[in-house]
């Protein structure tokens, strides 16, 4: 399982990366008693069922069943191999993976190509930035950025660059570095025509490096400084770059997002940079496309609130409405900054300054419902009675999507006051809409109960006594090798649940290899499909001590249930024999015995 990285190095890396700190970079966690809870990043949910234990250094989701240690989490969340997860955490903790182990890594063509593309992007990021800052070829780009108000500090922080207006400058550079043009075309760095002639994709453009969430450049955005067309040109989608999954500047914004508990969503790179320059450092942008559900879920892992600050022209308002609805659907509290009509954030900052912009965004942004009420008015002449009624009905439709009764009541009152209507009538209209949506009166109360109780009970039914006995016994076997040795001697692998049989088989082997009890390390030896179950067992809230009598009781309960199963197998064979001998009375009597035994198995 270790992919030839020495076990002691894996252990050092794992022990140096606290699971709460690591997962906290991806999920907004809140402490509840001894554990931390948050929304599971692996499945959609609105009530937290994802638990992280700092004491046991494991995580478990009571909703979808995923669980494991810090390495398991990184593998799942980043979609990387075990070895890559170790390397990623080793970078965080300052450990080095030995060269010998690195050379033994599986080098498939796909991995080599991806590494080549990452290296090529890194080289070009440095090259384009150097050209912009220190050469005459980059003066045009540097002049453009300074005219836009960007300081050298911002240019350096974001590694902005300039691609010369040359057909093959980048091509020649990449070839000198040993990169094959065909691979660079796949990576969106070069173009090729019908005559198989390679040329630079970005020419005469200011370059905005697009980084993944680990801070590695995976694509570029280019803005022409002349009259070229198109004005903006992005890298195409590649193996490294999926624009619907990434958010521009997320790697730099993440610490501030965690600190403030909110994110500012912009439409483009320039707005992010302009805001960053005036101290708004929790800004991100979707990449040349409408906000996707994947991007919205990414934000929801980290924050409760997202403030949308899009252009205030018609197109920007439409885009803000779409983004607001997607963010609301994934459980975000949404607010929308209202800039002067026709202005984008960059324009607003230039006109009014950073302090005023921060006030408009942080202190004066509209709630989702206030924004939607203003948005819906645009389509109606409210002096006209028919239009006014249609508008009110649409607002009620929107109010019915709100989760909190107090919010619904607030906006119904506001609507009744503004248009001199009976609140009782509006409440009845709203109740009809809620009924159509399947809303129940006790729904809200159920959604905000105790994390641990709610998240566990809604997904878990009561287990039979023998099933619990097996889980509890495995829990203690994971804590103490002597208990595992005793169980192995007396009942071996004769557990009733097949998954428990597999787990204890791996556990016996783990101890026989000389390992000391270490549940987190043991999980790495298991097949992936069993890690969630073991994490759930480890998270059981059991007494740290167990007596010899309790161990014996657990084993007796397991053996008794196994005996019942074996008795059923014997009886089933006797039943078939009675049927074969054409003795229906005896077959029926045996069938009754089987039914009674199967009933007892459920308890």
């Amino acid at each position: 399982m270790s992919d030839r990285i020495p076990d002691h190095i894996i252990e050092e890396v794992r022990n140096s990366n606290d699971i709460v700190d690591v997962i906290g970079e991806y999920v907004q966690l809140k402490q509840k008693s001894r554990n931390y809870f948050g929304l599971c990043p692996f499945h959609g949910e609105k009530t937290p069922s994802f638990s992280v234990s700092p004491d046991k250094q494991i995580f478990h989701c009571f909703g979808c069943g995923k669980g494991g240690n810090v390495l398991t989490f990184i593998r799942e969340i980043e979609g990387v191999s075990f070895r890559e997860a170790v390397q990623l955490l080793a970078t965080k903790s300052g450990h080095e993976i030995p060269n010998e182990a690195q050379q033994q890594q599986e080098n498939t063509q796909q991995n080599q190509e991806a590494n080549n593309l990452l290296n090529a992007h890194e080289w070009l990021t440095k090259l384009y930035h150097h050209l912009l800052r220190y050469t005459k070829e980059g003066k045009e780009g540097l002049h453009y950025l300074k005219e836009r108000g960007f300081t050298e500090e911002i240019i350096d922080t974001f590694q902005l660059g300039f691609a010369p207006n040359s057909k093959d400058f980048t091509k020649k550079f990449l070839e000198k570095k040993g990169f094959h043009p065909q691979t660079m075309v796949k990576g969106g760095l070069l173009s090729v025509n019908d005559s198989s002639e390679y040329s630079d994709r970005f020419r005469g453009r200011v370059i905005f490096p697009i980084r993944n969430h680990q801070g590695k450049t995976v694509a570029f955005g280019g803005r022409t400084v002349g009259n070229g067309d198109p004005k903006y040109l992005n890298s195409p989608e590649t193996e490294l770059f999926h624009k619907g999954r990434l958010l521009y500047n997320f790697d730099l914004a993440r610490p501030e997002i965690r600190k403030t508990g909110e994110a500012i969503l912009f439409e483009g790179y320039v707005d992010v940079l302009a805001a960053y320059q005036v101290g708004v450092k929790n800004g991100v942008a979707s990449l040349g496309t409408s906000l996707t559900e994947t991007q919205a879920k990414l934000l929801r892992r980290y924050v409760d609130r997202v403030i949308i600050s899009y252009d205030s022209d018609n197109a920007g308002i439409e885009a803000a409405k779409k983004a607001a609805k997607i963010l609301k659907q994934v459980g975000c509290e949404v607010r929308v900054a209202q800039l002067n009509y026709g202005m984008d954030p960059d324009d607003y900052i230039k006109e009014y300054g950073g302090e005023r912009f921060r006030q408009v965004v942080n202190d004066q942004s509209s709630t989702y419902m206030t924004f939607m009420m203003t948005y819906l008015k645009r389509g109606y002449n409210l002096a006209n009675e028919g239009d006014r009624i249609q508008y009110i009905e649409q607002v009620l439709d929107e109010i019915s999507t709100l989760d909190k009764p107090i919010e619904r009541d607030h906006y119904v009152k506001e609507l009744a006051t503004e248009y001199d209507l009976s609140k009782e009538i509006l409440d009845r209209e709203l109740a009809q809409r809620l009924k159509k949506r399947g809303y129940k009166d006790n729904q809200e109360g159920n959604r905000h109960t105790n994390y641990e109780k709610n998240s566990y009970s809604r997904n878990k039914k009561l287990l039979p006594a023998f099933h619990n006995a097996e889980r509890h016994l495995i829990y203690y076997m994971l804590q103490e090798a002597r208990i595992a040795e005793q169980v192995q001697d007396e009942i071996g692998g004769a557990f009733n649940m097949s998954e428990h049989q597999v787990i204890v088989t791996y556990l016996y082997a783990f101890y026989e290899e000389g390992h000391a009890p270490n549940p987190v390390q043991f999980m790495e030896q298991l097949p992936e499909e069993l890690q969630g179950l073991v994490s759930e067992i480890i998270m059981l809230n059991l007494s740290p001590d167990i007596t010899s009598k309790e161990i014996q009781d657990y084993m007796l309960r397991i053996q008794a249930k196994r005996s019942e199963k074996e008795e059923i197998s014997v009886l089933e064979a006797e039943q078939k024999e009675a049927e074969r001998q054409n003795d229906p009375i005896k077959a029926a009597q045996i069938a009754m015995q089987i039914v009674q035994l199967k009933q007892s198995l459920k308890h």
Side-chain angles (χ1 to χ4, degrees):
M1 296 292 287
S2 66
D3 201 14
R4 295 192 177 92
I5 300 175
D7 287 343
H8 72 278
I9 292 179
I10 295 173
E11 187 74 3
E12 284 179 19
V13 169
R14 187 176 52 238
N15 291 339
S16 300
N17 286 274
D18 182 78
I19 195 166
V20 174
D21 292 339
V22 172
I23 293 181
E25 294 182 7
Y26 298 84
V27 179
Q28 186 184 13
L29 296 173
K30 295 177 182 177
Q31 190 165 12
K32 187 76 175 176
S33 187
R34 295 172 65 180
N35 292 343
Y36 289 77
F37 287 83
L39 295 172
C40 179
F42 305 118
H43 81 287
E45 62 177 6
K46 289 189 176 181
T47 304
S49 63
F50 182 83
S51 175
V52 184
S53 168
D55 298 334
K56 299 173 181 177
Q57 287 294 298
I58 62 167
F59 73 92
H60 182 78
C61 176
F62 295 102
C64 68
K66 282 194 182 294
N69 60 25
V70 68
L71 288 165
T72 315
F73 180 84
I74 290 296
R75 286 180 67 184
E76 291 283 347
I77 200 76
E78 296 290 356
V80 297
S81 67
F82 179 86
R83 153 170 221 89
E84 289 168 327
V86 175
Q87 288 175 325
L88 195 153
L89 290 177
T91 301
K92 285 178 178 288
S93 58
H95 288 81
E96 285 191 17
I97 306 299
N99 288 331
E100 181 181 355
Q102 290 175 344
Q103 290 166 3
Q104 291 171 342
Q105 184 178 8
E106 182 182 8
N107 283 317
T108 64
Q109 184 179 354
Q110 188 177 14
N111 285 337
Q112 287 177 330
E113 197 168 274
N115 287 332
N116 283 339
L117 288 175
L118 278 174
N119 290 334
H121 279 89
E122 184 178 355
W123 276 111
L124 287 183
T125 299
K126 294 175 180 176
L127 173 68
Y128 290 151
H129 181 65
H130 177 82
L131 290 172
L132 177 80
R133 292 282 277 117
Y134 305 112
T135 71
K136 62 180 182 181
E137 288 86 353
K139 279 186 178 180
E140 186 181 11
L142 188 60
H143 176 74
Y144 166 80
L145 289 171
K146 289 190 173 179
E147 282 285 301
R148 294 293 300 261
F150 295 119
T151 63
E152 290 183 357
E153 182 182 355
I154 283 292
I155 290 169
D156 289 344
T157 298
F158 288 86
Q159 288 289 284
L160 305 185
F162 185 74
N165 194 7
S166 164
K167 183 179 179 181
D168 58 1
F169 178 86
T170 299
K171 171 182 169 289
K172 288 179 178 177
F173 174 83
L174 291 171
E175 285 180 326
K176 285 181 181 177
K177 293 295 179 184
F179 299 108
H180 195 283
Q182 190 173 350
T183 303
M184 298 303 102
V185 171
K186 287 183 182 179
L189 300 175
L190 299 178
S191 301
V192 63
N193 61 21
D194 294 337
S195 302
S196 298
E197 294 174 332
Y198 297 100
S199 59
D200 296 0
R201 177 179 177 84
F202 298 99
R203 305 183 210 170
R205 293 177 181 273
V206 170
I207 297 296
F208 298 83
I210 299 170
R211 300 176 302 276
N212 63 17
H213 301 159
Q214 289 78 53
K216 296 180 183 292
T217 303
V218 293
F220 293 113
R223 204 282 188 194
T224 182
V225 294
N227 298 317
D229 197 46
K231 183 187 290 187
Y232 287 97
L233 178 67
N234 287 341
S235 295
E237 294 226 341
T238 66
E239 183 184 348
L240 299 179
F241 176 51
H242 302 278
K243 60 185 178 183
R245 299 180 192 171
L246 296 180
L247 288 164
Y248 179 72
N249 191 48
F250 188 78
D251 60 314
L252 294 183
R254 180 157 50 192
E256 193 70 14
I257 285 172
R258 292 180 64 200
K259 179 181 173 183
T260 61
E262 63 185 25
I264 317 295
L265 180 64
F266 296 102
E267 279 191 277
Y269 322 125
V270 172
D271 293 335
V272 171
L273 270 62
Y276 194 97
Q277 190 162 270
V278 296
V280 180
K281 297 186 177 181
N282 55 336
V284 296
S286 51
L287 292 156
T289 183
S290 299
L291 186 76
T292 66
E293 185 178 350
T294 301
Q295 291 168 327
K297 285 179 177 178
L298 173 66
L299 289 171
R300 183 63 186 95
R301 289 182 207 157
Y302 289 85
V303 295
D304 292 323
R305 176 186 292 179
V306 177
I307 302 172
I308 299 170
S309 183
Y310 280 7
D311 296 358
S312 58
D313 57 10
N314 287 335
I317 292 168
E318 287 293 337
K321 184 206 76 169
K322 290 178 183 176
K325 283 187 171 291
I326 292 170
L327 287 163
K328 180 177 174 294
Q329 284 168 4
V330 300
C332 290
E333 177 197 342
V334 181
R335 301 184 75 89
V336 182
Q338 304 280 342
L339 306 181
N340 296 4
Y341 184 79
M343 283 189 144
D344 62 30
D346 183 37
D347 296 332
Y348 193 92
I349 290 168
K350 285 188 176 70
E351 181 76 20
Y352 298 105
E355 185 176 352
R356 177 90 171 267
F357 177 74
R358 289 194 298 273
Q359 288 175 350
V360 167
V361 171
N362 295 322
D363 304 328
Q364 299 170 14
S365 54
S366 302
T367 64
Y368 169 83
M369 196 61 224
T370 299
F371 167 75
M372 286 304 300
M373 290 170 79
T374 304
Y375 171 83
L376 291 171
K377 283 179 181 176
R378 294 167 5 119
Y380 295 101
N381 174 12
L382 296 181
N384 178 284
E385 185 178 351
D387 275 18
R388 193 161 60 248
I389 291 172
Q390 286 184 44
Y391 165 73
I392 291 167
E393 288 180 338
Q394 277 210 289
V395 172
L396 285 170
D397 288 342
E398 203 62 53
I399 292 173
S400 72
T401 69
L402 300 177
D403 288 331
K404 297 178 181 177
I406 192 169
E407 281 188 283
R408 295 195 297 268
D409 188 62
H410 171 81
Y411 291 111
V412 168
K413 282 179 183 175
E414 189 175 310
L415 200 60
T417 301
E418 185 174 356
Y419 294 100
D420 194 23
L421 297 169
S422 163
K423 183 176 181 297
E424 289 74 19
I425 291 175
L426 292 179
D427 281 335
R428 285 203 295 272
E429 288 283 334
L430 180 62
Q432 290 176 4
R433 286 163 169 80
L434 290 171
K435 187 176 180 181
K436 285 181 182 178
R437 291 180 177 276
Y439 181 86
K440 297 178 183 177
D441 290 341
N442 64 346
Q443 182 171 325
E444 184 64 26
N446 289 341
R447 287 181 61 237
H448 297 284
T449 53
N450 177 280
Y451 283 164
E452 201 159 3
K453 178 181 176 182
N454 188 44
S455 61
Y456 187 84
S457 63
R458 70 183 178 187
N459 291 301
K460 299 293 174 187
K461 60 182 180 180
L462 289 174
L463 297 173
F466 82 91
H467 196 151
N468 276 324
E470 293 187 356
R471 286 159 57 94
H472 292 183
L473 192 55
I474 291 172
Y475 174 90
Y476 289 111
M477 291 166 70
L478 287 164
Q479 312 304 321
E480 293 190 51
R482 67 167 184 84
I483 296 176
E485 186 176 343
Q486 180 182 348
V487 174
Q488 185 177 12
D489 289 342
E490 296 196 28
I491 65 174
F495 283 62
N496 293 282
M497 305 301 296
S498 59
E499 58 266 36
H500 295 166
Q501 294 171 11
V502 177
I503 290 168
V504 297
T505 301
Y506 273 92
L507 186 57
Y508 297 150
F510 180 75
Y511 285 135
E512 285 168 4
E513 289 170 3
H515 294 290
N518 188 330
V520 176
Q521 183 183 4
F522 169 66
M523 289 175 69
E524 289 164 9
Q525 317 297 317
L526 291 171
E528 194 171 322
E529 61 270 18
L530 289 175
Q531 292 181 6
L533 174 58
V534 172
S535 71
E536 187 176 335
I537 291 171
I538 296 171
M539 295 283 268
L540 292 172
N541 188 21
L542 300 180
S543 167
D545 301 314
I546 184 171
T547 65
S548 298
K549 183 179 183 305
E550 287 171 325
I551 295 171
Q552 285 296 331
D553 288 345
Y554 283 142
M555 288 193 291
L556 286 172
R557 190 166 292 171
I558 292 166
Q559 288 173 309
K561 191 57 57 175
R562 190 162 187 86
S563 296
E564 288 177 8
K565 285 185 173 182
E566 290 169 353
E567 187 177 349
I568 287 172
S569 297
V570 171
L571 286 172
E572 285 174 340
E574 290 179 1
Q575 183 187 20
K576 286 181 180 178
E577 180 63 22
E579 289 169 349
R580 191 181 68 80
Q581 294 180 358
N582 200 22
D583 189 346
I585 295 176
K586 184 177 181 181
Q589 289 171 340
I590 294 171
M592 288 296 295
Q593 288 179 269
I594 292 171
V595 169
Q596 290 170 357
L597 281 171
K598 284 186 174 179
Q599 279 295 119
S600 72
L601 279 177
K602 296 178 180 178
H603 303 289

mmCIF file of all heavy atoms in Angstrom, residues 129 133 142 146 150-157 277:
data_model
loop_
_atom_site.group_PDB
_atom_site.id
_atom_site.type_symbol
_atom_site.label_atom_id
_atom_site.label_comp_id
_atom_site.label_asym_id
_atom_site.label_seq_id
_atom_site.Cartn_x
_atom_site.Cartn_y
_atom_site.Cartn_z
ATOM 1 N N HIS A 129 6.782 36.389 -16.921
ATOM 2 C CA HIS A 129 6.906 37.391 -15.860
ATOM 3 C C HIS A 129 8.227 38.158 -16.008
ATOM 4 O O HIS A 129 8.251 39.391 -15.864
ATOM 5 C CB HIS A 129 6.850 36.702 -14.494
ATOM 6 C CG HIS A 129 6.946 37.664 -13.335
ATOM 7 N ND1 HIS A 129 5.987 38.614 -13.076
ATOM 8 C CD2 HIS A 129 7.902 37.826 -12.372
ATOM 9 C CE1 HIS A 129 6.340 39.318 -12.017
ATOM 10 N NE2 HIS A 129 7.504 38.854 -11.569
ATOM 11 N N ARG A 133 8.635 42.273 -16.629
ATOM 12 C CA ARG A 133 9.250 43.137 -15.616
ATOM 13 C C ARG A 133 10.604 43.704 -16.025
ATOM 14 O O ARG A 133 10.949 44.831 -15.628
ATOM 15 C CB ARG A 133 9.423 42.341 -14.315
ATOM 16 C CG ARG A 133 8.127 41.984 -13.620
ATOM 17 C CD ARG A 133 7.527 43.152 -12.843
ATOM 18 N NE ARG A 133 8.140 43.263 -11.525
ATOM 19 C CZ ARG A 133 8.854 44.301 -11.104
ATOM 20 N NH1 ARG A 133 9.072 45.316 -11.895
ATOM 21 N NH2 ARG A 133 9.350 44.310 -9.887
ATOM 22 N N LEU A 142 3.795 46.020 -19.474
ATOM 23 C CA LEU A 142 3.983 46.656 -18.174
ATOM 24 C C LEU A 142 3.299 48.024 -18.141
ATOM 25 O O LEU A 142 2.652 48.389 -17.150
ATOM 26 C CB LEU A 142 5.477 46.800 -17.878
ATOM 27 C CG LEU A 142 5.854 47.276 -16.474
ATOM 28 C CD1 LEU A 142 5.339 46.306 -15.408
ATOM 29 C CD2 LEU A 142 7.369 47.445 -16.353
ATOM 30 N N LYS A 146 0.268 49.156 -15.550
ATOM 31 C CA LYS A 146 0.420 50.326 -14.682
ATOM 32 C C LYS A 146 -0.641 51.377 -15.002
ATOM 33 O O LYS A 146 -1.133 52.071 -14.102
ATOM 34 C CB LYS A 146 1.829 50.892 -14.808
ATOM 35 C CG LYS A 146 2.875 49.982 -14.154
ATOM 36 C CD LYS A 146 4.237 50.624 -14.048
ATOM 37 C CE LYS A 146 5.186 49.745 -13.226
ATOM 38 N NZ LYS A 146 6.539 50.336 -13.112
ATOM 39 N N PHE A 150 -2.227 48.904 -11.573
ATOM 40 C CA PHE A 150 -1.651 47.803 -10.810
ATOM 41 C C PHE A 150 -0.208 48.106 -10.422
ATOM 42 O O PHE A 150 0.594 48.545 -11.246
ATOM 43 C CB PHE A 150 -1.735 46.505 -11.598
ATOM 44 C CG PHE A 150 -3.147 46.047 -11.828
ATOM 45 C CD1 PHE A 150 -3.657 45.920 -13.107
ATOM 46 C CD2 PHE A 150 -3.975 45.781 -10.760
ATOM 47 C CE1 PHE A 150 -4.963 45.530 -13.314
ATOM 48 C CE2 PHE A 150 -5.291 45.377 -10.957
ATOM 49 C CZ PHE A 150 -5.790 45.261 -12.238
ATOM 50 N N THR A 151 0.116 47.832 -9.163
ATOM 51 C CA THR A 151 1.454 48.093 -8.645
ATOM 52 C C THR A 151 2.380 46.931 -8.980
ATOM 53 O O THR A 151 1.939 45.834 -9.345
ATOM 54 C CB THR A 151 1.416 48.263 -7.119
ATOM 55 O OG1 THR A 151 0.980 47.017 -6.540
ATOM 56 C CG2 THR A 151 0.457 49.365 -6.706
ATOM 57 N N GLU A 152 3.686 47.190 -8.820
ATOM 58 C CA GLU A 152 4.664 46.124 -9.049
ATOM 59 C C GLU A 152 4.471 44.991 -8.039
ATOM 60 O O GLU A 152 4.713 43.826 -8.363
ATOM 61 C CB GLU A 152 6.080 46.694 -8.951
ATOM 62 C CG GLU A 152 6.428 47.613 -10.121
ATOM 63 C CD GLU A 152 7.860 48.119 -10.062
ATOM 64 O OE1 GLU A 152 8.560 47.794 -9.079
ATOM 65 O OE2 GLU A 152 8.267 48.844 -10.989
ATOM 66 N N GLU A 153 4.017 45.332 -6.828
ATOM 67 C CA GLU A 153 3.778 44.302 -5.814
ATOM 68 C C GLU A 153 2.699 43.328 -6.281
ATOM 69 O O GLU A 153 2.843 42.103 -6.148
ATOM 70 C CB GLU A 153 3.359 44.952 -4.492
ATOM 71 C CG GLU A 153 3.148 43.944 -3.375
ATOM 72 C CD GLU A 153 2.675 44.593 -2.086
ATOM 73 O OE1 GLU A 153 2.599 45.840 -2.029
ATOM 74 O OE2 GLU A 153 2.376 43.840 -1.138
ATOM 75 N N ILE A 154 1.613 43.868 -6.838
ATOM 76 C CA ILE A 154 0.526 43.002 -7.327
ATOM 77 C C ILE A 154 1.010 42.196 -8.528
ATOM 78 O O ILE A 154 0.725 40.993 -8.652
ATOM 79 C CB ILE A 154 -0.708 43.852 -7.711
ATOM 80 C CG1 ILE A 154 -1.436 44.282 -6.458
ATOM 81 C CG2 ILE A 154 -1.653 43.074 -8.617
ATOM 82 C CD1 ILE A 154 -2.117 43.157 -5.692
ATOM 83 N N ILE A 155 1.754 42.834 -9.407
ATOM 84 C CA ILE A 155 2.283 42.138 -10.592
ATOM 85 C C ILE A 155 3.156 40.961 -10.166
ATOM 86 O O ILE A 155 3.085 39.871 -10.757
ATOM 87 C CB ILE A 155 3.076 43.127 -11.480
ATOM 88 C CG1 ILE A 155 2.108 44.122 -12.142
ATOM 89 C CG2 ILE A 155 3.894 42.387 -12.539
ATOM 90 C CD1 ILE A 155 2.798 45.292 -12.818
ATOM 91 N N ASP A 156 3.966 41.161 -9.120
ATOM 92 C CA ASP A 156 4.836 40.089 -8.648
ATOM 93 C C ASP A 156 4.049 39.016 -7.886
ATOM 94 O O ASP A 156 4.307 37.817 -8.038
ATOM 95 C CB ASP A 156 5.932 40.657 -7.736
ATOM 96 C CG ASP A 156 6.962 41.463 -8.509
ATOM 97 O OD1 ASP A 156 7.014 41.331 -9.747
ATOM 98 O OD2 ASP A 156 7.705 42.240 -7.880
ATOM 99 N N THR A 157 3.105 39.444 -7.065
ATOM 100 C CA THR A 157 2.312 38.489 -6.279
ATOM 101 C C THR A 157 1.575 37.516 -7.183
ATOM 102 O O THR A 157 1.532 36.303 -6.924
ATOM 103 C CB THR A 157 1.293 39.225 -5.383
ATOM 104 O OG1 THR A 157 2.012 40.049 -4.457
ATOM 105 C CG2 THR A 157 0.420 38.241 -4.612
ATOM 106 N N GLN A 277 -5.655 44.439 -4.320
ATOM 107 C CA GLN A 277 -4.750 45.576 -4.137
ATOM 108 C C GLN A 277 -5.261 46.549 -3.083
ATOM 109 O O GLN A 277 -4.471 47.255 -2.448
ATOM 110 C CB GLN A 277 -4.566 46.308 -5.481
ATOM 111 C CG GLN A 277 -3.473 47.356 -5.476
ATOM 112 C CD GLN A 277 -3.053 47.728 -6.886
ATOM 113 O OE1 GLN A 277 -2.154 47.129 -7.456
ATOM 114 N NE2 GLN A 277 -3.710 48.715 -7.459
#
